[in-house]
Amino acid sequence: MFETLSDRLTSVFSSLRAKGRLSDSDIDATTREIRIALLEADVALPVVKAFVAQVKERARGAEVSQALNPAQQVVKIVNDELIGILGGETRRLRLAKTPPTVLMLAGLQGAGKTTLAGKLARWLREQGHAPMLVAADLQRPNAVQQLQVMGERAAVAVYAPEPGNGVGDPIEVARRSIDEARRLQHDIVIIDTAGRLGIDQEMMKQAADIRDAVSPDEVLFVVDAMIGQDAVTTAQAFMEGVGFDGVVLTKLDGDARGGAALSVRHITGRPIMFASTGEKLEDFDAFHPDRMASRILD
Ligand code: GDP
């Protein structure tokens, strides 16, 4: 198990005086530990630097608090700043004024897109929506079938190209799915797109073409939280190649540290909207910056 930020800070805090103002050396000692803890949690260096600078500035300017001792004061500042860097409030889905709302998923193969499509569909159905899944990943063998299985498990409709129907074009599938959703009165369309194991121009172009064809209300970038620093490079590539409105972090059950969450949000400026925490459909929820902050701290 890695050492949590709290573990690290406890040793520093024990040397802080119980009362009074934080001294510069107290602040330096704590921010040093924060820096190490964040780097160990795989947070990208520029993000660590920005974060530490912010904490330092706030700690220096902190009023002498009657209610909190110096250690508690630092924890509060770190917690507040973490929540801030993670986006503050939970960012909700923007629904289209005229249905269907079109959501497009993009990300590398293996990121957990297809699983996420099922999770999101189930989550939306439970909230009273009538979502439809769209199989526009025609690259990976079995992707269509996998989405159909997800649809069954989530009890939602799946729009997929019929074998032999001559529809081998994901852009055409995505386009037709919108008409189909309208016809069948689905109010939300979730389009699963193809990923590759690595970033490649052809994949980016296909995703961008689908985006242009259907003008999604939200493009969601799906990223595996376990890939650590690589999440930043991947996010930047998708930002340039396709563009996205929000981020979905998957496999957070395997990454207690949240380094990817901090970095991706800070570097792309896009909110993390959802989090996946396991292989089951129910292992999914809206992303709550405050909960993630306490997870990083605790
Ligand atoms: P895609 O290629 O992006 O469509 O990825 P898949 O949806 O096929 O997921 C790849 C693998 O990751 C599958 O074995 C999923 O069961 C697994 N997976 C997806 N989301 C999660 C998650 O949140 N936690 C864990 N532990 N595994 C996940």
Side-chain angles (χ1 to χ4, degrees):
M1 234 348 235
F2 87 109
E3 207 176 357
T4 65
L5 192 49
S6 288
D7 293 338
R8 287 194 163 277
L9 292 181
T10 309
S11 56
V12 184
F13 290 156
S14 60
S15 64
L16 291 182
R17 293 174 313 279
K19 284 205 172 61
R21 210 178 226 292
L22 288 168
S23 72
D24 278 357
S25 66
D26 290 339
I27 295 171
D28 285 345
T30 4
T31 48
R32 200 163 35 242
E33 291 302 317
I34 294 169
R35 186 187 162 86
I36 296 169
L38 292 179
L39 286 172
E40 283 182 354
D42 239 348
V43 179
L45 186 59
V47 185
V48 175
K49 284 187 172 164
F51 183 77
V52 167
Q54 244 162 299
V55 169
K56 243 184 182 165
E57 199 182 306
R58 263 197 66 186
R60 291 232 163 87
E63 292 292 316
V64 184
S65 164
Q66 301 297 328
L68 304 175
N69 69 35
Q72 291 166 329
Q73 248 173 340
V74 177
V75 169
K76 181 164 184 338
I77 292 169
V78 172
N79 187 55
D80 288 352
E81 293 296 325
L82 272 178
I83 294 173
I85 210 170
L86 287 166
E89 301 276 302
T90 299
R91 154 76 152 76
R92 291 166 179 277
L93 273 180
R94 277 187 304 239
L95 299 179
K97 286 202 184 77
T98 318
T101 296
V102 179
L103 309 177
M104 174 179 154
L105 309 180
L108 292 182
Q109 183 176 321
K113 272 188 311 302
T114 307
T115 312
L116 185 267
K119 290 174 172 183
L120 188 57
R122 176 186 175 275
W123 189 81
L124 289 166
R125 181 176 60 70
E126 294 212 323
Q127 293 180 23
H129 293 286
M132 183 175 85
L133 289 168
V134 178
D137 176 359
L138 308 183
Q139 220 82 41
R140 186 161 58 92
N142 295 333
V144 173
Q145 198 198 350
Q146 194 192 338
L147 194 72
Q148 273 160 337
V149 171
M150 281 297 155
E152 268 169 45
R153 282 171 50 196
V156 300
V158 177
Y159 181 80
E162 307 249 336
N165 191 14
V167 188
D169 176 7
I171 297 148
E172 198 49 37
V173 169
R175 195 179 285 136
R176 287 187 192 184
S177 75
I178 312 288
D179 294 335
E180 187 71 356
R182 227 171 258 135
R183 193 175 71 78
L184 298 172
Q185 302 197 329
H186 289 288
D187 65 339
I188 301 184
V189 173
I190 303 168
I191 304 175
D192 188 22
T193 65
R196 297 281 160 87
L197 287 173
I199 297 155
D200 101 33
Q201 291 315 315
E202 204 186 316
M203 169 190 72
M204 286 294 176
K205 185 174 180 319
Q206 185 182 92
D209 287 346
I210 294 178
R211 180 204 62 207
D212 292 344
V214 301
S215 309
D217 296 283
E218 306 263 27
V219 177
L220 302 178
F221 168 62
V222 183
V223 62
D224 177 346
M226 302 277 284
I227 67 174
Q229 299 271 343
D230 284 345
V232 171
T233 344
T234 313
Q236 280 169 326
F238 273 85
M239 202 62 201
E240 277 167 34
V242 192
F244 54 83
D245 306 289
V247 179
V248 182
L249 280 181
T250 63
K251 310 191 193 179
L252 267 175
D253 49 316
D255 176 56
R257 304 171 297 178
L262 280 173
S263 307
V264 169
R265 159 73 214 196
H266 185 79
I267 285 175
T268 66
R270 293 294 183 266
I272 299 160
M273 293 172 60
F274 297 101
S276 250
T277 50
E279 299 198 54
K280 294 198 295 293
L281 284 190
E282 349 21 304
D283 299 332
F284 171 79
D285 203 354
F287 180 78
H288 299 281
D290 51 343
R291 290 187 206 162
M292 189 69 194
S294 37
R295 180 164 152 177
I296 293 171
L297 265 175
D298 290 346

